């Protein structure tokens, strides 16, 4: 790592902290990268222009990676929101179904109670009619006995 001119090219990228750069697995600070970019020989102008191009490529690549990372995070956030919304919809649907079930049971219970009341009313009505019929039957028997007695008296007189 001396001051001798090396023709070896090094690629680097900004990491998630954007202040430390990874060079083939080695982490370097911005100051080291800046020193690496500085010209150290008379061919400094040529290195500077290629360095500017490399900087532009680096910035472009970093921007693309950041955009991809943001898109991935947005996608994950949308997936989480979708799952939350699906869970909410399932819960709400379950609540609605439960309310409908309870309502149906209440309607069914009321219908059964109405039917039982109507049946009881019909039973009581039938009992009243049976008593009235028995009473009429007794009355008819009394009349029958009375008329037979009257007929027997008339026959005795005749």
């Amino acid at each position: 790592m001396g001051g001798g001119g090396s023709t070896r090219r090094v690629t680097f990228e900004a990491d998630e902290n954007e202040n430390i750069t990874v060079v083939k697995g080695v982490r370097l600070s911005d100051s080291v990268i800046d020193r690496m970019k500085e010209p150290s020989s008379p061919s400094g102008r040529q290195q500077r222009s290629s360095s500017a191009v490399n900087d532009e490529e680096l910035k472009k690549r970093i921007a693309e990676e950041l955009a991809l990372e943001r898109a991935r995070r947005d996608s994950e956030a949308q997936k989480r929101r979708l799952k939350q919304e699906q869970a909410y919809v399932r819960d709400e649907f379950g609540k609605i179904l439960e309310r409908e079930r309870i309502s149906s049971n209440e309607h069914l219970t009321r219908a059964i109670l109405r039917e039982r009341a109507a049946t009881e009313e019909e039973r009581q009505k039938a009992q009243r009619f049976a008593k009235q019929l028995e009473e009429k039957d007794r009355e008819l028997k009394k009349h029958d006995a009375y008329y037979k007695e009257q007929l027997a008296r008339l026959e005795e007189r005749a």
Side-chain angles (χ1 to χ4, degrees):
M1 299 231 155
S6 172
T7 59
R8 184 173 172 197
R9 291 241 177 226
V10 177
T11 57
F12 50 91
E13 302 172 2
D15 67 355
E16 63 272 0
N17 296 330
E18 294 185 12
N19 59 355
I20 298 176
T21 305
V22 177
V23 179
K24 290 190 180 181
V26 177
R27 296 170 71 81
L28 300 174
S29 68
D30 285 337
S31 62
V32 172
I33 292 171
D34 289 342
R35 279 186 276 144
M36 288 172 61
K37 290 178 185 178
E38 289 177 6
S40 61
S41 66
S43 63
R45 282 200 173 144
Q46 193 176 23
Q47 284 181 351
R48 223 175 238 196
S49 66
S50 72
S51 174
V53 170
N54 284 341
D55 282 348
E56 290 302 317
E57 288 177 20
L58 177 63
K59 287 179 185 177
K60 187 176 180 180
R61 204 178 318 142
I62 290 171
E64 288 172 357
E65 288 181 23
L66 288 175
L68 287 173
E69 180 64 22
R70 282 189 199 117
R72 185 185 61 77
R73 283 188 208 143
D74 290 346
S75 174
E76 288 174 0
Q78 285 177 342
K79 286 179 185 177
R80 282 192 302 274
R81 279 193 302 274
L82 178 62
K83 285 181 181 180
Q84 289 173 343
E85 288 174 4
Q86 286 174 339
Y88 175 77
V89 168
R90 270 194 304 274
D91 290 345
E92 288 300 310
F93 188 65
K95 289 175 185 177
I96 290 170
L97 286 176
E98 182 64 19
R99 284 193 299 261
E100 286 296 319
R101 185 187 63 78
I102 289 170
S103 177
S104 293
N105 285 344
E106 289 173 356
H107 289 294
L108 183 61
T109 302
R110 279 183 267 178
I112 289 171
L113 290 175
R114 278 193 305 270
E115 195 59 38
R116 284 182 183 165
T119 302
E120 180 63 23
E121 189 178 316
E122 289 293 322
R123 187 186 64 76
Q124 289 174 353
K125 200 177 202 181
Q127 283 179 342
R128 277 195 317 270
F129 286 148
K131 284 181 183 180
Q132 287 175 355
L133 185 60
E134 286 174 7
E135 197 175 305
K136 287 278 184 184
D137 192 38
R138 279 193 301 269
E139 232 178 272
L140 285 175
K141 285 182 182 178
K142 280 184 190 176
H143 287 306
D144 189 41
Y146 174 75
Y147 289 123
K148 282 184 182 178
E149 185 182 319
Q150 290 297 322
L151 185 60
R153 282 188 192 166
L154 283 175
E155 286 177 357
E156 280 181 16
R157 283 189 200 166

